[in-house]
Amino acid sequence: MEVDREDGRSQNQLRPLACSRNILHRAHGSASWSQGDTKVLAAVYGPKAGTKKNENPEKACIEVIWKPKTGQIGKLEKEYEMILKRTLQSICILTVNPNTTTSVMIQVVNDDGALLPSAINAACMALVDAGIPMRHLAVSISCCVARSGVSGLVILDPTKLEEQKMKAFAYLVFPNSVHSVLPEGSPSVQGEPIENGIITSVTHGTMSVDDYFYCLERGRAASTKLSDFLRRNLQQQPTNSSKAG
Amino acid sequence: MVTYREDGSSEVQLGQTRVMGIVTAQLVQPYRDRPKEGMLSIFTEFSPMADPSFEPGRPGELAVELGRIIDRGLRESRAVDTESLCILAGKFVWAVRIDIHILDNGGNLVDAANIAALAALLTFRRPECSLGGEDGQEVIVHPPEIREPLPLMVHHLPIAITFGFFSNESILLIDPTHNEEAVMNGRMTTTVNANGDICAIQKGGGEGVPQRVIMQCLQLATSKAASITKQIKDAVEAFNTERALRKIKRHPTSTGVDVREKQNQYTCNIPVSLEHFKSKTEVVITRTRKHYPLNMAA
């Protein structure tokens, strides 16, 4: 069952990905991530001394600032900041540097659909560039439900137009796939490999439970490809020596 | 280096400083005392990603000063023609909004932000609109696919050039970097255009400098302005030609679209059968670092 997409992609095809690290000079870590026409720039400063008022001083704190392309900062930006903060808190090892704050700044350069997933991917790359200790990386993908019911159809990486036309879409974040050198294989939780876990899921619109599970399957499969892309990219570019503030 | 992604957006790299400019426009009601003029407003965002000392939230005094310098250069020198932005006098005019995002602070933000604003203005296209309705009082905005959007009328390009003064060593620097800004005694920003007109001069406190030095700065600025204007115009030309080419190829028939790849960053080979035509134009503006001896004594 094929669906006609405007740019001619098939339902499981992602847009061309491009990523570069260490593009800013003052920031401790920076990365730019683009999926098709959506482009996001992320910068990381940290760890800095002290935590905010209501935060736990026994752990590191992550602060996210989201800057839209144009216009005032509103509720949507605050929501993105919160989602990003919680996602990053779950992948960073917070006990390594207690009582410190790591700031992550996101600047939207262009928004053509899948903005939050691009931002999460960019933030993850920037954290690696800055050398913040993390348990594993996060890869994020967006899927939308084109048709529901028996002939359920889920398409990956929708553009802005597609997001607006479709019934519902979901942004999913998974841990990246693990290549283990240990004899016992990759770590697993309750019998399932760790990469099947979902870190974050944000949905818009209504979809049936089956559609959602179908989205998860597709997202999981695509995230393996994204993990490979991330791994190749990170292996190619060695991080430069640290920058003093 | 001036690169373009799309209409009305530009990214400028001046040494280590990186600034992004975005231009958008909206139809609004004009001011009561100026019913036939459009509006131009500049918003500067000193993003904390540029410098750890920038705070998010309300713009600090540096941000406000930067915004004011660029605003004076554009508005009061009438670089952008605001009367051509009027659609229906007293009812509908275009309000052009320039957002300047500072991405990386390597010094001399004013000059880089000014170039970014100018570059974005030159490539911005506003939708064409016509009057309609029963009494000709309604404005119909035509979407870009139906009618080609129009560029803004820009009469001249005011270029800001910043100087730094070091009185102890009697040195005058053009285009100070971040480290030089931290130790210099005084600064002056002159906004001149390629015709030799002075659009604005801003010297806020700092070390006093003799008149002779000011004249020297102005002469230097005029010569630099000509070369920078040429570079901006070349970049805009290149962008316009690529844009025109893109329009030709954009016509429907989803098969057989141009498969050219233009990605100068690492890309993965996730199989894609059709690629978007992306273009990047690049112009290098070499960071000028010249020292000019001041003759402070006498």
Side-chain angles (χ1 to χ4, degrees), chain B residues 244-252 257-258 260 277:
Chain B
L245 283 175
R246 217 185 321 152
K247 286 223 182 288
I248 298 172
K249 294 202 160 88
R250 211 208 277 175
H251 280 294
V257 158
D258 181 46
R260 202 150 31 130
F277 185 109

Side-chain angles (χ1 to χ4, degrees), chain B residues 35-96:
Chain B
K36 293 215 179 97
E37 283 186 19
M39 299 190 234
L40 183 71
S41 51
I42 301 186
F43 290 85
T44 47
E45 292 273 330
F46 269 38
S47 169
M49 74 162 60
D51 194 307
S53 61
F54 292 162
E55 299 283 329
R58 288 195 61 224
E61 31 175 72
L62 272 176
V64 174
E65 192 186 352
L66 190 147
R68 287 295 302 140
I69 297 178
I70 300 181
D71 189 72
R72 242 180 309 144
L74 288 175
R75 190 202 303 274
E76 293 176 20
S77 64
R78 305 205 179 279
V80 177
D81 188 52
T82 43
E83 292 190 355
S84 65
L85 296 175
C86 173
I87 307 296
L88 193 57
K91 296 269 183 60
F92 289 108
V93 297
W94 285 108
V96 176

Side-chain angles (χ1 to χ4, degrees), chain A residues 20-25 27-32 41-44 122 125-127 129-130 243, chain B residues 49:
Chain A
S20 48
R21 277 195 303 137
N22 204 16
I23 38 189
L24 300 178
H25 296 95
H28 296 153
S30 56
S32 105
L41 191 60
V44 170
M125 296 289 285
L127 285 171
D129 194 42
K243 293 168 257 222
Chain B
M49 74 162 60

Side-chain angles (χ1 to χ4, degrees), chain A residues 45-52 55-63 85 89 92-103 132-133:
Chain A
Y45 280 97
K48 293 185 285 203
T51 46
K52 297 246 162 96
E55 302 281 350
N56 187 355
E58 302 206 6
K59 292 191 175 171
C61 159
I62 299 193
E63 175 198 11
K85 176 177 165 160
Q89 268 176 342
C92 292
I93 305 180
L94 297 175
T95 46
V96 172
N97 291 320
N99 206 18
T100 60
T101 305
T102 302
S103 309
I132 307 290

Side-chain angles (χ1 to χ4, degrees), chain A residues 34-220:
Chain A
S34 64
Q35 278 179 224
D37 277 333
T38 301
K39 186 165 173 194
V40 177
L41 191 60
V44 170
Y45 280 97
K48 293 185 285 203
T51 46
K52 297 246 162 96
K53 248 180 29 173
N54 295 329
E55 302 281 350
N56 187 355
E58 302 206 6
K59 292 191 175 171
C61 159
I62 299 193
E63 175 198 11
V64 178
I65 298 170
W66 180 290
K67 292 257 178 219
K69 181 171 165 182
T70 181
Q72 302 276 20
I73 297 188
K75 297 215 174 71
L76 185 64
E77 284 75 35
K78 292 282 177 210
E79 184 193 351
Y80 284 155
E81 284 179 8
M82 184 204 71
I83 296 173
L84 206 60
K85 176 177 165 160
R86 292 200 190 157
T87 307
L88 296 177
Q89 268 176 342
S90 68
I91 60 172
C92 292
I93 305 180
L94 297 175
T95 46
V96 172
N97 291 320
N99 206 18
T100 60
T101 305
T102 302
S103 309
V104 179
M105 269 72 93
I106 303 283
Q107 171 73 54
V108 176
V109 177
N110 196 22
D111 176 12
D112 188 29
L115 184 60
L116 188 59
S118 306
I120 294 176
N121 291 329
C124 204
M125 296 289 285
L127 285 171
V128 171
D129 194 42
I132 307 290
M134 295 193 279
R135 256 178 242 120
H136 49 74
L137 299 178
V139 288
S140 175
I141 189 94
S142 100
C143 332
C144 76
V145 177
R147 280 198 294 274
S148 68
V150 175
S151 63
L153 192 60
V154 165
I155 58 178
L156 288 181
D157 201 10
T159 62
K160 202 168 180 107
L161 277 174
E162 287 172 342
E163 273 180 2
Q164 283 164 349
K165 282 195 303 193
M166 301 293 176
K167 275 177 32 131
F169 58 93
Y171 297 139
L172 301 164
V173 184
F174 298 96
N176 70 331
S177 54
V178 177
H179 287 186
S180 182
V181 295
L182 300 172
E184 59 261 20
S186 13
S188 55
V189 176
Q190 292 178 353
E192 277 195 62
I194 201 168
E195 61 234 29
N196 277 2
I198 308 168
I199 301 177
T200 302
S201 151
V202 184
T203 60
H204 292 255
T206 51
M207 56 173 91
S208 71
V209 177
D210 289 326
D211 283 336
Y212 183 61
F213 283 136
Y214 198 41
C215 275
L216 290 183
E217 257 182 61
R218 286 305 170 103
R220 178 87 272 297

Side-chain angles (χ1 to χ4, degrees), chain A residues 25-26 45 69-70 229, chain B residues 6 49 51 99 101 104 268:
Chain A
H25 296 95
R26 302 296 304 282
Y45 280 97
K69 181 171 165 182
T70 181
F229 171 67
Chain B
E6 54 182 37
M49 74 162 60
D51 194 307
D99 281 283
H101 297 279
D104 209 0
C268 70

